Amino acid sequence: MKLAFSSDLAERVAQNGIIAVVVIDKAEHAAPLADALAQGGIGAVELTLRTPEALDAMKRMRAHAPDMIVGAGTVLFPEQVRQVCDAGAHFAVAPGMNRRVMQAAADAGLSFAPGIATPSDIEAALEYNCRVMKFFPAEVSGGISYLRNMAAPYKHLGIRYIPLGGLNADNMLPYVKDELISAIGGSWIAPREKIAAQDWAGIAASAKQAMELISKNRK
């Protein structure tokens, strides 16, 4: 069975170290948002399917910023797998572990990281040969300490995690420093309100701050 998340893409995501998680209400904001993130040094984004404009925004971002890794977030139903593939997504993630969605992603050849919060979630994901998983919601589940304990029985399998949920510039460093972590997910970098307000300078500044913290503290 092929890896659920291609090894080449997983390496690119790990090299970036952070994925900006965004909600876009107007597709026209996709291009300037990509520019702002890139200006701050961020080369990977998870565009969540939480608005009617999300798929159009994804297409625009892919066309405008071909070098940026663009993933789809909040992929909850099998039919959305084909939609995000058609929109050009490099990968997709979900808040949970849905076998029907995982199978659809496997059939489509789409790199997919399911959401996990328990050992049972991890073992369900392993049935689909997942080696990259989204730890969600990270902070309220117990943070990096909880993840270390939960992940210990599976460490020999080489699983790496993308934590998301409650992370920010003040608490991200314990995750950044841990070898279990592929990249962190950051929704604080480009929050929905700042995108709606077109605060591109503020988003670029937040992206730069996050990347500086990663470059100074990552092993």
Side-chain angles (χ1 to χ4, degrees):
M1 182 188 296
K2 293 173 61 177
L3 289 173
F5 207 103
S6 81
S7 55
D8 288 346
L9 183 58
E11 180 60 29
R12 288 180 63 197
V13 169
Q15 287 174 355
N16 275 273
I18 189 167
I19 301 171
V21 181
V22 303
V23 180
I24 298 181
D25 290 289
K26 293 183 178 180
E28 65 198 55
H29 292 160
L33 172 60
D35 290 340
L37 293 172
Q39 183 180 341
I42 288 181
V45 61
E46 174 195 325
L47 204 165
T48 62
L49 302 188
R50 300 183 193 176
T51 71
E53 301 262 326
L55 290 170
D56 187 17
M58 190 175 299
K59 292 176 184 176
R60 295 191 187 202
M61 189 173 287
R62 285 286 288 117
H64 180 78
D67 293 333
M68 180 164 282
I69 301 170
V70 180
T74 323
V75 178
L76 305 177
F77 307 104
E79 57 269 25
Q80 291 179 312
V81 169
R82 177 49 55 193
Q83 292 172 346
V84 301
C85 285
D86 291 343
H90 290 104
F91 70 92
V93 299
M97 172 59 217
N98 184 313
R99 287 175 170 82
R100 292 176 62 234
V101 176
M102 282 299 308
Q103 189 59 57
D107 293 343
L110 175 67
S111 288
F112 198 96
I116 59 93
T118 69
S120 295
D121 293 337
I122 292 176
E123 292 184 22
L126 287 174
E127 293 182 14
Y128 292 88
N129 210 19
C130 291
R131 293 298 182 274
V132 178
M133 303 180 191
K134 174 180 172 179
F135 173 41
F136 177 82
E139 278 293 283
V140 297
S141 293
I144 190 64
S145 177
Y146 171 76
L147 178 61
R148 287 175 186 144
N149 282 277
M150 177 176 63
Y154 313 102
K155 192 172 182 180
H156 64 288
L157 299 175
I159 301 170
R160 301 191 75 189
Y161 302 87
I162 300 172
L164 174 64
L167 275 71
N168 55 51
D170 296 324
N171 63 16
M172 63 183 272
L173 291 187
Y175 294 92
V176 170
K177 294 177 180 180
D178 199 287
E179 63 182 1
L180 289 170
I181 304 305
S182 168
I184 63 171
S187 56
W188 84 92
I189 297 163
R192 192 173 188 172
E193 320 81 70
K194 282 193 174 183
I195 296 173
Q198 302 182 63
D199 183 8
W200 311 129
I203 290 170
S206 294
K208 182 179 180 182
Q209 178 194 32
M211 289 305 299
E212 287 176 347
L213 286 170
I214 288 174
S215 62
K216 290 178 182 176
N217 292 279
R218 201 171 194 196
K219 291 182 179 179

